[in-house]
Amino acid sequence: MSSASGDTSTRTSATAAVREAAERAAAAAAALRTAPDAQVSEALSAAAERVAGAAQVVLSANADDVAAARAAGTSEGLLDRLRLDPARLESAAQQLREIAALPAQPRLVFVRDLPGDGVHGGQVWERRVPVGVIGATYEARPAVTLDVAGQVLRARSAAVLRTGSAALRTSAVLVDEVLVPALAEAGLPDGGVELVRQPGHDAAEALVAQPDLVPLVIVRGSGETTRHLSRLGAAAGTRVLAHADGGGVMYADVAADLDRFRSLLRAGVDRLGVCNRLNLLLVHSARWEELSQVAVEVLGEAGVQALLPPHAHELGHEWALDSGNEARVTVAPVAGPVEATALAAAETSGIAATVVTEDAGAAAEFLGAWGGTGGFWNTTTRLLDGYKLLGVPETGISVDSVPGPRGPVTGGDLVLRQFVVLPAGTSGAGAVQEDLRG
């Protein structure tokens, strides 16, 4: 078989695998759409309890995934994303419990009365409608399998999950031993969570190209692959929630406290393979000599290299995505808060920036000029995370600069808004309202 025909065969196989999974999910979506919130919570609670019983087989599969990835030359930063241990697994289970315990969001909310007669008048209500089937593609982070599935189920939609080849063994065990049995235990169809078992990027491309079955896809990951999937989804008519790039920014102002600066430097590089880590450090020129050397010292103690000018790379280069070079932070001087925000906006994705200063005026100037997804004062950009900010696991982070879900995206964002107008004072209108409230 020629290479071209082989590629075509692989793409065809991936498309078939995605459509089969999506069709099973679509069949389950009808039951999830009308399921009481208590029933969905029951399924999520059951999944959380099953994690402990499945821990041995999950960790065994994960050890195999990690060993295979290491043999393939995967960097330590990516191995850290892939690796599960008992503590991380329990953390994932706890997040499922917390999703299950969330108060049910109202399905029908009164907006206003419309003036007029029976034809043009009535009451306006806003209804939260499930999407139906939501896809998610993510790389070597198997705990995301539980996070995303939990959020999608909480939104009363079915999930079609696709993960990178490196995490496929672990993710398959989590679906087969934890999620699917929990759905059955709660009386919900097992198609509520489907995992695409086809390895390779062709499956990810197929997932964002099925708007008739999967109208919304969450793309977790960073870099050109994510940008590529976003473009494919847009061309196909699929709504894609994704961010292709991360990289937290810290601006150390002229009024920065030295001890606080040291603490925030350490906090910003506690994990190097995540999108909200410290990536670019900007220092007020009036304190450049002092604080740049402090950065070299503190980051060096953490095993991270501080890259001072002149730079042979773009200032916003995201080190978390540079395999083998994750342990780096770019450091540059700026004239003040406004120049810092302008440089951060021009050079980075805009995911998060923090200002280190004891001057409230400088903090206000920085935050007022910053238009990125998350702005922080004397705290770390590592807080830009759904669980840390909102107390809810996230499905991902959106850095869109247009209206819609922005920042950490949770299950509450994964619904459609529908307007319903009901005639006021009509017999049976109250019963209709109650029925729509579920």
Side-chain angles (χ1 to χ4, degrees):
M1 177 182 291
S2 70
S3 175
S5 61
D7 290 345
T8 300
S9 175
T10 301
R11 285 194 296 270
T12 300
S13 176
T15 299
V18 168
R19 286 199 70 85
E20 287 172 9
E23 286 167 354
R24 290 192 294 268
L32 288 166
R33 182 187 187 92
T34 58
D37 289 296
Q39 188 177 15
V40 176
S41 291
E42 180 185 347
L44 296 174
S45 295
E49 297 313 307
R50 285 182 172 273
V51 169
Q56 184 174 350
V57 66
V58 171
L59 294 176
S60 176
N62 185 249
D64 290 342
D65 279 339
V66 170
R70 179 176 284 111
T74 302
S75 71
E76 283 301 319
L78 294 180
L79 286 175
D80 178 60
R81 292 187 178 199
L82 174 62
R83 187 180 296 108
L84 286 179
D85 57 28
R88 288 186 179 184
L89 198 54
E90 172 53 29
S91 176
Q94 179 59 26
Q95 291 187 19
L96 280 176
R97 295 185 192 99
E98 293 176 9
I99 298 172
L102 288 173
Q105 294 185 316
R107 301 187 186 186
L108 192 69
V109 177
F110 176 73
V111 178
R112 73 184 190 108
D113 289 308
L114 289 177
D117 56 25
V119 175
H120 298 99
Q123 294 182 327
V124 181
W125 297 79
E126 183 179 313
R127 185 179 178 219
R128 298 168 61 84
V129 179
V131 172
V133 177
I134 298 175
T137 176
Y138 47 95
E139 296 302 326
R141 299 183 74 170
V144 172
T145 299
L146 298 180
D147 292 347
V148 172
Q151 295 286 0
V152 172
L153 289 170
R154 189 62 172 160
R156 291 182 295 122
S157 285
V160 177
L161 309 177
R162 177 269 166 194
T163 187
S165 304
L168 194 51
R169 291 183 188 88
T170 312
S171 296
V173 172
L174 289 170
V175 170
D176 295 342
E177 301 294 331
V178 174
L179 292 167
V180 169
L183 286 167
E185 184 176 329
L188 294 171
D190 57 11
V193 178
E194 289 289 331
L195 177 68
V196 178
R197 313 290 170 124
Q198 180 94 6
H201 286 290
D202 287 327
E205 294 186 359
L207 184 59
V208 299
Q210 314 292 328
D212 58 324
L213 287 173
V214 191
L216 172 64
V217 178
I218 300 157
V219 178
R220 288 189 60 152
S222 298
E224 181 53 36
T225 297
T226 299
R227 286 190 288 271
H228 175 64
L229 292 175
S230 297
R231 290 192 293 266
L232 289 179
T238 302
R239 176 70 171 101
V240 175
L241 282 177
H243 79 276
D245 302 281
V249 178
M250 179 191 296
Y251 163 61
D253 184 54
V254 67
D257 177 81
L258 190 56
D259 288 339
R260 193 188 308 277
F261 178 61
R262 290 175 178 274
S263 296
L264 291 176
L265 284 175
R266 287 189 288 265
V269 293
D270 64 331
R271 290 186 65 187
L272 298 179
V274 292
C275 65
N276 55 16
R277 55 156 281 193
L278 174 59
N279 187 68
L280 173 62
L281 171 62
L282 303 175
V283 177
H284 195 291
S285 56
R287 294 188 67 184
W288 170 254
E289 293 299 328
E290 174 196 10
L291 296 186
S292 64
Q293 291 309 306
V294 170
V296 170
E297 169 199 329
V298 174
L299 293 173
E301 291 170 354
V304 177
Q305 182 182 5
L307 302 176
L308 305 182
H311 302 108
H313 58 274
E314 295 181 352
L315 288 182
H317 179 79
E318 189 176 356
W319 297 109
L321 303 180
D322 193 339
S323 183
N325 293 314
E326 295 91 346
R328 296 182 176 186
V329 169
T330 301
V331 188
V334 291
V338 174
E339 182 179 330
T341 59
L343 189 61
E347 296 288 340
T348 77
S349 69
I351 188 172
T354 188
V355 52
V356 187
T357 184
E358 301 305 301
D359 182 347
E365 188 177 14
F366 179 90
L367 295 173
W370 174 241
T373 302
F376 303 87
W377 176 22
N378 285 344
T379 53
T380 174
T381 59
R382 291 281 284 116
L383 290 173
L384 193 78
D385 170 87
Y387 195 70
K388 292 175 181 175
L389 286 185
L390 306 173
V392 180
E394 67 188 34
T395 61
I397 297 175
S398 172
V399 295
D400 282 351
S401 55
V402 297
R406 194 166 189 242
V409 176
T410 69
D413 301 306
L414 303 179
V415 292
L416 303 175
R417 184 172 69 168
Q418 179 190 77
F419 287 109
V420 177
V421 178
L422 302 176
T426 301
S427 175
V432 172
Q433 291 172 26
E434 291 305 312
D435 186 64
L436 292 178
R437 285 192 177 98

